[in-house]
Amino acid sequence: PAPGMESLPEAVLIRILAAIPAVDLVLVCRLVCCQWKNLVDGAELWILKCQQEGLTRAESDAENWQNFYFLSKKRKNLIKNPCGEEDLEHWGEVENGGDGWKVEELPGDFGKEFPSEEVHKYFVTSYEWCKKAQVIDLRAEGYWEELMDTTQPKIMVRDWYAGRSDAGCLYELCVKLLSENEDVLAEYKSETVTIPQDNDASWTEISHTFSSYGPGVRFVRFEHGGQDTLFWKGWYGVRVTNSSVTVEP
């Protein structure tokens, strides 16, 4: 009989396997035989796939190349409608103090352009406290339980806020990592940021990275909000946009 694939040099077999979609490698090829299982579970195949697809990482950081590959391919902003392009769509638990939330076009009255040209709108608060939140279901986004419990990839949170140059305002951010039963496993709460009247209206980024947070994380709850400090009718409170939550490779 003609020699089969098992007679191929391992380096050649790895190159053949690297051409197969990653999901099929894990769900199908890994089950073919012990040799293929060892190759799919090993680093060399995934290093090659990362190289082929331009996913770079320092060798010294390499712990699990398979997880790094999948996390890199999945990496995206998990916040939906971060800049108000869909009004308040996808934002829940909305607290509409004063005249409530409003979406405006950048730069807005007494405002400044955003540092990125890709952002065109922002949410703005009113003269009493305004809040809004999103809860991200990590499993629904493709982050499986074993990955979250064992690898515990870093979860990066970012938000941007600004005031009008003619009005003072307050801003707060609170992000929680939640269990299946929505118990709080880790939390980041910013201080209450006070922007004085006669500020320069520049945009400020706030960020936090969750790491080594322990097993059991299934949801991320992102909440932010604020108000003006002058109690003027209308929308003179803090402005927020370009919020993001990413699971980092």
Side-chain angles (χ1 to χ4, degrees):
M5 286 188 71
E6 67 274 4
S7 65
L8 290 172
E10 199 164 89
V12 175
L13 184 53
I14 285 173
R15 290 203 162 271
I16 293 171
L17 291 173
I20 296 172
V23 172
D24 292 333
L25 285 174
V26 173
L27 297 182
V28 181
C29 298
R30 190 173 178 274
L31 307 180
V32 170
C33 63
C34 287
Q35 183 192 23
W36 285 31
K37 178 182 182 297
N38 290 335
L39 292 178
V40 173
D41 288 347
E44 193 172 346
L45 170 60
W46 298 99
I47 290 172
L48 179 58
K49 283 190 76 67
C50 287
Q51 289 172 343
Q52 289 174 340
E53 300 184 36
L55 307 175
T56 58
R57 177 189 202 184
E59 290 282 345
S60 59
D61 293 339
E63 290 182 9
N64 187 317
W65 281 92
Q66 185 184 127
N67 282 350
F68 173 76
Y69 176 88
F70 279 107
L71 286 169
S72 297
K73 297 293 283 186
K74 284 181 174 297
R75 189 179 186 277
K76 65 175 182 176
N77 184 5
L78 301 176
I79 293 283
K80 296 177 174 64
N81 186 27
C83 304
E85 296 292 345
E86 302 172 74
D87 198 42
L88 282 169
E89 189 73 22
H90 304 295
W91 292 95
E93 302 178 55
V94 177
E95 187 177 316
N96 279 309
D99 288 320
W101 286 96
K102 185 183 180 185
V103 175
E104 295 181 344
E105 298 271 349
L106 279 157
D109 293 341
F110 296 89
K112 281 190 175 176
E113 289 289 357
F114 192 77
S116 167
E117 294 181 358
E118 297 175 0
V119 178
H120 306 290
K121 294 183 178 183
Y122 59 83
F123 302 92
V124 58
T125 59
S126 190
Y127 59 86
E128 289 179 354
W129 204 262
C130 297
K131 288 183 180 179
K132 59 186 177 71
Q134 276 192 42
V135 177
I136 297 161
D137 183 336
L138 293 169
R139 280 177 301 195
E141 296 291 346
Y143 299 99
W144 58 100
E145 294 182 6
E146 183 184 359
L147 175 76
M148 298 307 302
D149 292 348
T150 306
T151 303
Q152 294 175 33
K154 292 179 180 178
I155 299 173
M156 173 73 82
V157 177
R158 292 187 176 92
D159 201 18
W160 288 82
Y161 64 88
R164 295 170 53 119
S165 62
D166 63 340
C169 59
L170 305 175
Y171 164 83
E172 284 184 4
L173 170 67
C174 180
V175 185
K176 299 176 181 179
L177 305 187
L178 306 176
S179 70
E180 180 77 43
N181 299 320
E182 300 191 5
D183 298 319
V184 178
L185 302 181
E187 179 177 7
Y188 168 75
K189 195 174 193 320
S190 74
E191 61 181 357
T192 301
V193 178
T194 302
I195 301 174
Q197 193 174 9
D198 301 321
N199 67 88
D200 65 2
S202 61
W203 286 93
T204 299
E205 183 184 38
I206 184 171
S207 66
H208 177 75
T209 301
F210 291 98
S211 61
S212 302
Y213 38 76
V217 172
R218 300 292 178 262
F219 302 95
V220 180
R221 186 182 186 279
F222 179 104
E223 179 187 283
H224 62 181
Q227 66 174 87
D228 78 22
T229 53
L230 302 171
F231 303 98
W232 288 348
K233 184 169 177 57
W235 296 273
Y236 293 84
V238 73
R239 300 166 171 186
V240 293
T241 194
N242 206 36
S243 312
S244 67
V245 173
T246 53
V247 178
E248 297 292 313

